[in-house]
Amino acid sequence: MRSIYCGQLNKSHVDQEVELCGWINKRRDLGGLIFVDLRDREGLVQVVFDPEVEGLMDTANKLRQEFCVQLKGVVRARPDSQVNKDMATGEVEILGTSLTIINRSEPLPLDFNQQNSEERRLKYRYLDLRRLEMSDRIKLRAKASSFVRRFLDDNGFLDIETPVLTKATPEGARDYLVPSRVHKGSFYALPQSPQLFKQLLMMSGFDRYYQIVKCFRDEDLRADRQPEFTQIDLETSFMSSDEVRAMTEKMIREMWQSLLDVDLGDFPVMPYSEAMRLYGSDKPDLRNPMQLVDVADLVKDVEFKVFSGPANDEKGRVAVLTVPGGAELSRKQIDDYTKFIGIYGAKGLAWMKVNDRAAGVEGVQSPIAKFLNEEVINQLLERTNAQSGDIILFGADKRNVVNEAMGALRLKIGVDLGITDLDSWKPLWVVDFPMFEEDDEGTLHAVHHPFTAPKGISPEELEANPAGALSDAYDMVLNGYEVGGGSVRIHNAEMQETAFRILGIEAQEQQDKFGFLLDALKYGTPPHAGLAFGLDRLVMLLCGTDNIRDVIAFPKTTQASCLLTDAPSKANADALTELALDVVAKDAE
C-alpha cells in the first residue's frame, strides 16, 4: 500500500511518484488549494491537492484530523521561500494525484496542540502514541534494545529465557502471586528478577547469559518505577567484578555514542561511604557540584541541643550544605525548603547567611548565631569555604534522616538555582556497599540481595561481624539515577547458609525456600557475577524525560492500574471457585 514512509522523503525523490499511507495531522484550505500534513511513524510531509487534478477535491474536502488515508502523488521541490526548516521533509512536498479515505475519525478526545492530562493520555494511549514525540521515544527504545542484543551477542552472551511462573523468594519487594488451578491453595510468584535462575544457568555451564526480560514488583510507585518493568539481565562465570564493570561500562558508553553521539568517557569509581558522606545518596548526581560537609566535631560542645545531641550520638550526623549565591534566598523560600525536607523526616532547617565573609562573625546573619560562639562560627566558615553571598544550611538528626533530607535538598536547590548542569552527562560506579543494613528495630537486611558475596572474608568472619562486612557489589549511576546494579554472587553453600542465618532465615526455612539453590551450590559451582540494567530507566535518560511512563508503550499509573483497559478488574465467581479462592470484602471501617 505504500512505497516509502512520509518522513523519509527528501530532494533526492523529486519527480518520483510515491504511494503514502498515514494520518492527517493538519488540514488547511487556501483559496481552492488544499494542503494537508500527512503523518506516519517516521514523520510528516506536506501534500497539496490542486483543483486542476481531476476527481480529487471532493474527497480532499472531506479530510479531517486523524483520518487514515492512502494517497499517490509526485514529489516536487518547494520554492526556497517556502522551505519549512522545522520539518525534516521541509524542502519537498507531494502533489496529490489520487486519494483514498481508509477510515474516518471522530472528534478526538485528545488535543494534539495542547497539553493533555496524563490520565487522559493513558486512557487514549493508542492516540497519544501517534504523536511524533511519543513514537520517537518508542523507536529509540527499540534501537536501544537492538543495540544491547547486538553487543551481547558479539561478546559471547547467550539469550536464554527463564520462567515467569516461579517460586516466591525474598528480593526486597512484595511478590505478585498467581493462584494455581491444578494445585489448589498453592501459588506461583511472578519474578522480581531472574536472579536465582541466572545463577543456576552459571551452574549449568552457560558462561555468559543475558535476557531482556519482564520483572514484577508489587511496591509503591513513582515517576521512575512501574509494577512491571523491563530488565537487561546478564550473568557471567569466571569474571571478576572489575571485568563485569569494564564490559558493561563499554556497552553503555557505546550505546550513548551510537544513539546520541555522546561520549560519556571513563566512569569514575566511588565507594558507597564517600557517596553518602559527600552527597547523602548512594546514587549521587555529579552534575551538581555542591557537597555535604560534616561539622559534628565543631558543635559537640555547643549549648544548642539541636546540634550537640546528634553530634554526640554515634547514630547521628550533623552536616552542612553551602549554597553559592544562596544568601539571596527569601525567608519564604527557606520556609518552603524546610517543608520540603520535612517529607524525609527532618524536623527543621537551620541556616546561616554569609553577607560579608571578610567581616567574620559580624558578617553572618542567622537565627542560630546566638547559640554558637565566635570560634565555632569562624571554624564553620573556614571548613565550608563559604564566600560572601552564600548560605550555609544545616542538617542535624539521625544519620539516615540527614542523608535523605540533605541529599534531596541538594538536588532540589541545584535545579531551582541553576547550579546543576542539566545539559551534561555524569556517570559513575558506586562500589563497596555494606553487606547488611540495620533497621530501627535492630534487624539486619541485605543491602542488595541475600545472594551477594561479601568482599574478602570467610563465612566465620562474616558471622562474627556482619555489620562491618562489605559486599562485592556495584551500581552504575547516571545523572542521579541508578541505571544498573549487580554483584559477585555467593558460590559456596556454607557462605550462603551463613548469609541466610544472619538475615534470620534458619535451616528449615532455608530448605523450604532455597533448598534447590543450596543443593546446586554443592556440585562444582563456578564463581559468577552479573548485573541488571533497567531498560525503561536507560531509555528515559536517552529520551531526556524524567518519567518512565513516557517510554513504555502501555504503562500503569502510580496506582498500578491501566486506564486504557481498566485493569485490574474483578474476576467472575466461576473463575474464583475453580481456583479455590474467595474475595473477602473489607468491613465498613
Side-chain angles (χ1 to χ4, degrees):
M1 293 180 70
R2 63 154 63 99
S3 61
I4 191 171
Y5 283 105
C6 297
Q8 294 174 341
L9 291 165
N10 56 52
K11 293 185 79 171
S12 70
H13 300 101
V14 169
D15 294 331
Q16 294 182 23
E17 184 178 63
V18 294
E19 295 180 72
L20 303 175
C21 294
W23 291 266
I24 302 300
N25 195 67
K26 186 186 295 183
R27 175 186 177 277
R28 304 178 299 283
D29 190 338
L30 301 179
L33 291 176
I34 294 177
F35 293 83
V36 300
D37 290 341
L38 187 67
R39 185 191 71 246
D40 58 24
R41 75 173 207 192
E42 295 300 320
L44 299 167
V45 69
Q46 178 172 282
V47 182
V48 183
F49 296 106
D50 192 316
E52 294 183 7
V53 181
E54 293 185 11
L56 281 183
M57 298 309 287
D58 286 347
T59 306
N61 273 313
K62 297 174 183 175
L63 295 177
R64 296 293 183 270
Q65 187 180 16
E66 295 309 305
F67 275 30
C68 182
V69 303
Q70 179 193 28
L71 62 85
K72 291 182 182 179
V74 177
V75 183
R76 63 186 189 184
R78 293 202 206 185
D80 289 344
S81 61
Q82 296 178 20
V83 168
N84 185 345
K85 295 181 180 180
D86 295 329
M87 289 174 62
T89 62
E91 292 184 311
V92 298
E93 63 184 10
I94 310 298
L95 175 63
T97 56
S98 74
L99 172 64
T100 301
I101 296 175
I102 297 173
N103 250 321
R104 288 169 165 77
S105 172
E106 294 185 2
L108 298 178
L110 298 178
D111 186 340
F112 287 178
N113 298 312
Q114 296 183 13
Q115 287 288 102
N116 298 283
S117 69
E118 187 173 42
E119 290 76 11
R120 202 149 188 84
R121 289 175 55 208
L122 293 178
K123 173 71 174 174
Y124 298 98
R125 189 62 162 187
Y126 47 87
L127 295 177
D128 188 46
L129 289 173
R130 290 184 189 175
R131 295 189 298 122
L132 289 177
E133 179 183 37
M134 290 302 297
S135 63
D136 284 346
R137 288 169 177 169
I138 299 302
K139 287 191 295 181
L140 186 56
R141 182 188 179 105
K143 290 177 181 178
S145 297
S146 180
F147 177 90
V148 167
R149 292 189 189 280
R150 288 197 307 273
F151 181 92
L152 294 176
D153 288 343
D154 291 345
N155 282 276
F157 285 79
L158 300 176
D159 184 356
I160 307 175
E161 294 180 350
T162 53
V164 173
L165 295 177
T166 184
K167 184 182 181 73
T169 56
E171 292 190 37
R174 289 180 296 273
D175 290 309
Y176 279 100
L177 299 178
V178 180
S180 170
R181 179 186 59 82
V182 176
H183 305 281
K184 289 182 170 55
S186 295
F187 294 82
Y188 300 102
L190 301 181
Q192 295 185 34
S193 80
Q195 181 62 45
L196 294 184
F197 284 105
K198 66 181 180 180
Q199 289 188 240
L200 291 170
L201 286 170
M202 296 304 101
M203 300 170 197
S204 304
F206 296 102
D207 262 340
R208 298 185 180 191
Y209 138 94
Y210 84 94
Q211 190 180 184
I212 298 181
V213 60
K214 279 288 186 186
C215 302
F216 307 87
R217 296 183 183 179
D218 186 6
E219 57 188 351
D220 295 333
L221 307 183
R222 56 190 185 215
D224 65 342
R225 184 180 286 171
Q226 282 277 291
E228 53 178 313
F229 57 96
T230 306
Q231 196 163 279
I232 304 168
D233 198 52
L234 58 93
E235 196 79 5
T236 68
S237 295
F238 307 111
M239 287 182 71
S240 67
S241 55
D242 289 345
E243 291 169 324
V244 172
R245 285 195 288 110
M247 176 170 286
T248 52
E249 178 179 322
K250 184 173 187 286
M251 182 178 78
I252 297 302
R253 278 208 315 267
E254 291 185 5
M255 179 189 290
W256 251 249
Q257 189 74 61
S258 173
L259 300 181
L260 296 185
D261 195 24
V262 167
D263 183 2
L264 292 176
D266 293 334
F267 293 15
V269 179
M270 182 181 297
Y272 169 88
S273 58
E274 184 177 351
M276 299 304 294
R277 178 176 64 85
L278 296 178
Y279 306 104
S281 170
D282 60 0
K283 49 181 188 296
D285 187 348
L286 300 186
R287 297 174 300 168
N288 180 337
M290 294 188 292
Q291 297 180 344
L292 301 180
V293 176
D294 284 305
V295 296
D297 60 310
L298 303 182
V299 296
K300 289 178 70 171
D301 299 322
V302 301
E303 295 181 4
F304 191 43
K305 298 301 182 183
V306 171
F307 287 177
S308 60
N312 288 282
D313 182 350
E314 62 178 14
K315 294 185 178 180
R317 185 180 186 189
V318 183
V320 298
L321 182 70
T322 303
V323 181
E328 296 182 0
L329 290 174
S330 68
R331 186 57 187 265
K332 180 183 184 305
Q333 287 174 300
I334 295 173
D335 288 344
D336 287 343
Y337 286 131
T338 303
K339 292 177 184 176
F340 172 76
I341 64 172
I343 299 170
Y344 302 91
K347 301 178 184 68
L349 182 63
W351 54 271
M352 181 180 291
K353 291 185 177 182
V354 184
N355 297 321
D356 183 359
R357 176 67 178 87
V361 175
E362 298 300 320
V364 303
Q365 171 192 354
S366 172
I368 62 167
K370 59 188 176 185
F371 301 113
L372 308 175
N373 61 44
E374 183 174 349
E375 181 183 4
V376 169
I377 291 175
N378 283 326
Q379 288 175 330
L380 285 168
L381 294 173
E382 183 175 347
R383 182 169 296 183
T384 59
N385 195 30
Q387 304 298 311
S388 298
D390 294 350
I391 190 172
I392 302 171
L393 304 174
F394 294 79
D397 211 307
K398 295 295 184 183
R399 183 177 293 106
N400 65 318
V401 172
V402 171
N403 288 341
E404 290 189 22
M406 298 302 286
L409 183 63
R410 169 183 171 272
L411 295 179
K412 181 168 176 56
I413 289 179
V415 173
D416 289 350
L417 302 189
I419 296 169
T420 301
D421 182 2
L422 297 176
D423 295 324
S424 63
W425 294 100
K426 294 292 184 180
L428 78 152
W429 287 102
V430 178
V431 300
D432 293 345
F433 288 82
M435 185 82 173
F436 304 101
E437 61 185 354
E438 187 177 308
D439 63 20
D440 293 337
E441 284 73 45
T443 304
L444 290 177
H445 301 273
V447 170
H448 275 74
H449 53 62
F451 319 109
T452 300
K455 198 167 186 178
I457 59 175
S458 67
E460 293 77 18
E461 291 170 319
L462 177 63
E463 194 147 29
N465 183 24
L470 297 180
S471 65
D472 202 350
Y474 34 84
D475 282 358
M476 183 187 289
V477 177
L478 182 56
N479 289 4
Y481 289 96
E482 178 200 328
V483 295
S487 67
V488 172
R489 322 302 188 187
I490 295 172
H491 65 277
N492 173 278
E494 182 184 0
M495 181 67 83
Q496 188 62 77
E497 290 167 354
T498 301
F500 284 153
R501 276 199 305 275
I502 291 169
L503 293 169
I505 306 173
E506 297 302 331
Q508 188 56 52
E509 187 180 359
Q510 291 181 27
Q511 283 302 315
D512 292 344
K513 291 183 175 178
F514 305 105
F516 64 96
L517 174 68
L518 295 172
D519 287 345
L521 287 169
K522 298 172 184 175
Y523 298 106
T525 298
H528 53 287
L531 187 143
F533 289 101
L535 177 63
D536 310 299
R537 204 169 285 178
L538 284 172
V539 177
M540 179 185 78
L541 290 169
L542 286 166
C543 290
T545 179
D546 58 3
N547 190 334
I548 62 171
R549 291 190 289 275
D550 287 340
V551 299
I552 298 172
F554 299 104
K556 305 290 190 295
T557 68
T558 53
Q559 298 300 312
S561 62
C562 175
L563 299 181
L564 174 64
T565 63
D566 287 329
S569 57
K570 304 288 186 184
N572 67 58
D574 290 342
L576 291 174
T577 300
E578 197 169 20
L579 293 167
L581 293 177
D582 193 11
V583 176
V584 179
K586 290 183 178 180
D587 59 34
E589 292 182 357

